[in-house]
Amino acid sequence: MPMIGCVAFVVAISEIARAQSGLYDAVLLDGTRIASQGDPAPGGGAYTLFDHVQAGGNGDVAFTAGVSGASATEGLFRVAGGVHSALALSGQAAPSVSGTYLVFNAVGVNDVGAVAFRSRILHMLLPDTTALFVNEG
């Protein structure tokens, strides 16, 4: 059953007393925390900076995030039923384009959890290539 009014957003919190900034949370409107900077990221490393957050009508949330401590520096992630998964990571082979994912620019989620996204592709013959992808998993 679709969730009416499902919203996801990013919150930036600065701890001035510690001179730190950039603690980013992706949270649901009801206050449920989805992920925070420093949490383990699927595929290795830890989440750093969150961007391009989108919630589907079924409650799935997809987002892009920076990653530290892994070979990937950025990824596209989904949280479905509280389970985090990596849909695409920078440096992974991008399907059908003979290149690798470089950065992720946009994300959308439909009511059945399919995630559409745009990514810049690192391609030897076609510099500065951008492509659209859909992950229905």
Side-chain angles (χ1 to χ4, degrees):
M1 167 174 247
M3 294 177 62
I4 306 296
C6 185
V7 176
F9 56 95
V10 175
V11 177
I13 301 170
S14 175
E15 296 181 30
I16 296 172
R18 295 168 137 192
Q20 294 179 350
S21 63
L23 173 61
Y24 293 83
D25 288 344
V27 297
L28 289 173
L29 192 57
D30 68 358
T32 302
R33 186 178 66 82
I34 296 172
S36 291
Q37 183 181 22
D39 286 353
Y47 293 127
T48 58
L49 178 66
F50 295 93
D51 202 3
H52 305 293
V53 178
Q54 185 72 42
N58 64 349
D60 288 2
V61 175
F63 57 92
T64 63
V67 178
S68 66
S71 58
T73 58
E74 185 172 338
L76 172 69
F77 303 94
R78 175 190 357 227
V79 179
V83 177
H84 290 241
S85 59
L87 301 181
L89 298 169
S90 61
Q92 277 185 336
S96 306
V97 295
S98 301
T100 58
Y101 294 120
L102 188 59
V103 294
F104 304 95
N105 308 106
V107 62
V109 182
N110 70 10
D111 290 346
V112 294
V115 177
F117 62 99
R118 183 176 67 212
S119 177
R120 286 192 53 219
I121 304 297
L122 181 60
H123 192 283
M124 295 292 286
L125 301 175
L126 302 170
D128 205 21
T129 301
T130 300
L132 298 173
F133 300 92
V134 175
N135 181 300
E136 297 185 51

